[in-house]
Amino acid sequence: MFLIASFFFWLSLFIYIPILSPYVEQLGGAYSFVGLVLGSYGLMQFLCRIPIGLVSDMVQRRKPFVTLGMAAAMGSGWLFAITNSLGWALVARALAGVAAATWVVFTVLYSSYFRPEDTHRAMGQISLVVVLAQLVGMTVSGSIVDRWGWHAPFWAGGCLAAVGVVLSISIKESKQSEGSVRPQTVQLKDLLSVMKEPLLLKVSVLSVLAHGIIFTTIFGFTPAYALRTGLNENDLSLLMVCFMIPHAIATVFIGKTVVPLLGKWRSLAIAFFGSALFTFLIPVASGSLFVYIVQIGSGFFLGLLFPLLLGMSIESVDDARKATAMGTYQAIYAIGMFGGPYLAGIVNELIALPFAFYFAGTLGLIAIGLIAVWKQKEEETEDKMIGRTVRR
């Protein structure tokens, strides 16, 4: 039931994404205002995720925040649907950002259904649901507009979220999460200690780079560049399918195969290398077949990254502070959601569109360098600890 509700949640938020930018332009918005509307989604997540996680930990409840997120998604879709002004479009998209900010509690609640050693498997499952919802929403959006008009995807999003609200009511929260005895309130010092957790900070930085890549490419400039290479608007759905299906398949492999075989840090390095490689190939892809092949590779390697980073973000944090840790992680990576495409846009204007992809690929190389440094320091620390143990 939880996974079904999560599917409806993300489907409601993604079913209008492909047409959002042209819709705001159709309302009369300049490119700068279009950017403001799109960026408000990431900005609200940056502002709201830590407070939501902190409050959830304070009251030791998750389910009410899940329902709240569903309601915010419903309000966002219907606000888009019933209005025709630029101001309300900005408010509606910001409300979608508030809805997405509650995802911090979704992930913590779902991980509570599993044993600690199965955290990566849990994150892989819930990441698969997100990817499937993205795939369905982004491939049907254009058809809905063609058949029923600009407002139809927004009405659909609101209705899907309304179903999610109903489903969320039947979600179970464990007694341990509800707490028969009221736990101690989380203090500011607890928040600061979570934010200083070394592994959490490292993973958050890597996630900023990963989100910078994906929001600069497939959720940013890749569709526009694909049109320049000779594809037409109808081909964009196939482009999304080529990216999203390998992206979904990768979330299954990461927990069951890749991490047990290679380890976490090596898996991250390989995933970032593949992501960087296929991002660098986007500007040189000519002909529809090569364009699709590049998106298949990009989708797969980026699909390896996100569930692994998600699981590592709460790996070293105790249960009582996991929502705070997840809120910190998701708030920090929201920087990549608006910072990546914003900086890439500046690069576009200063040089040319292909350099946005060179910029995004470089983010992957930076991540590989950071992983190499951190892994070496981790191994040196372990060697010192072993040496001390032997001497004793």
Side-chain angles (χ1 to χ4, degrees):
M1 183 63 70
F2 187 95
L3 293 179
I4 295 174
S6 298
F7 179 82
F8 275 93
F9 175 70
W10 284 110
L11 183 58
S12 71
L13 292 176
F14 272 85
I15 197 167
Y16 57 78
I17 291 300
I19 60 96
L20 180 58
S21 177
Y23 172 72
V24 178
E25 288 184 52
Q26 187 255 153
L27 291 179
Y31 286 121
S32 58
F33 190 83
V34 173
L36 179 61
V37 172
L38 298 176
S40 66
Y41 177 76
L43 179 61
M44 293 308 296
Q45 292 184 62
F46 176 74
L47 295 175
C48 296
R49 273 177 165 165
I50 290 178
I52 288 173
L54 181 59
V55 173
S56 177
D57 277 346
M58 287 175 63
V59 299
Q60 287 294 290
R61 295 295 304 274
R62 316 300 187 198
K63 180 178 174 179
F65 295 91
V66 171
T67 303
L68 176 65
M70 295 286 189
M74 178 181 68
S76 173
W78 285 347
L79 190 58
F80 268 122
I82 64 176
T83 58
N84 282 294
S85 72
L86 293 172
W88 282 116
L90 177 61
V91 173
R93 190 56 182 158
L95 188 58
V98 174
T102 64
W103 185 244
V104 53
V105 184
F106 279 73
T107 53
V108 171
L109 178 57
Y110 190 63
S111 68
S112 71
Y113 301 149
F114 294 79
R115 296 174 300 177
E117 59 268 27
D118 292 329
T119 299
H120 291 300
R121 183 164 64 90
M123 293 303 98
Q125 291 178 0
I126 203 167
S127 296
L128 174 61
V129 168
V130 175
V131 171
L132 290 176
Q134 292 172 345
L135 172 62
V136 174
M138 295 179 73
T139 53
V140 304
S141 181
S143 300
I144 292 176
V145 171
D146 288 339
R147 183 166 297 184
W148 292 294
W150 283 105
H151 281 189
F154 301 119
W155 282 114
C159 292
L160 289 166
V163 174
V165 171
V166 175
L167 293 176
S168 70
I169 296 173
S170 61
I171 290 174
K172 294 182 180 180
E173 186 170 7
S174 66
K175 293 181 179 179
Q176 182 179 3
S177 296
E178 293 177 355
S180 55
V181 178
R182 183 176 177 82
Q184 284 188 331
T185 301
V186 177
Q187 303 295 325
L188 180 59
K189 62 180 181 181
D190 297 317
L191 173 61
L192 295 176
S193 68
V194 166
M195 295 180 69
K196 292 178 181 178
E197 186 68 33
L199 181 60
L200 173 62
L201 290 178
K202 292 174 183 176
V203 171
S204 297
V205 170
L206 293 176
S207 195
V208 168
L209 298 173
H211 280 83
I213 294 172
I214 196 170
F215 275 83
T216 298
T217 54
I218 195 67
F219 294 153
F221 298 104
T222 297
Y225 188 75
L227 294 177
R228 287 194 179 189
T229 64
L231 300 185
N232 56 48
E233 287 77 3
N234 293 330
D235 295 325
L236 292 182
S237 293
L238 180 56
L239 191 76
M240 293 295 176
V241 169
C242 287
F243 179 91
M244 297 303 295
I245 289 181
H247 196 70
I249 292 173
T251 62
V252 177
F253 278 100
I254 188 66
K256 293 183 178 180
T257 305
V258 180
V259 172
L261 182 64
L262 301 175
K264 291 173 291 189
W265 289 110
R266 190 174 287 115
S267 298
L268 279 175
I270 292 173
F272 269 112
F273 176 79
S275 300
L277 173 63
F278 283 100
T279 300
F280 282 128
L281 287 175
I282 292 174
V284 299
S286 59
S288 59
L289 180 60
F290 193 18
V291 170
Y292 295 140
I293 291 174
V294 168
Q295 289 311 304
I296 290 172
S298 178
F300 180 79
F301 283 104
L302 283 170
L304 293 176
L305 278 176
F306 295 109
L308 178 53
L309 291 169
L310 191 63
M312 291 177 67
S313 67
I314 57 174
E315 190 175 275
S316 59
V317 180
D318 57 81
D319 289 342
R321 299 182 300 161
K322 279 188 174 179
T324 303
M326 186 65 75
T328 302
Y329 166 72
Q330 295 183 355
I332 292 174
Y333 78 53
I335 296 172
M337 293 170 63
F338 62 82
Y342 175 73
L343 293 175
I346 294 176
V347 172
N348 287 346
E349 292 195 11
L350 293 177
I351 310 176
L353 179 56
F355 284 85
F357 305 111
Y358 298 141
F359 165 77
T362 302
L363 296 181
L365 298 182
I366 293 172
I368 294 171
L370 291 174
I371 291 169
V373 172
W374 291 336
K375 188 174 185 298
Q376 183 178 358
K377 288 184 177 180
E378 186 179 278
E379 290 173 349
E380 290 175 354
T381 302
E382 291 177 356
D383 290 341
K384 288 180 181 179
M385 293 179 63
I386 293 174
R388 290 172 185 171
T389 302
V390 171
R391 284 194 296 271
R392 289 177 185 174

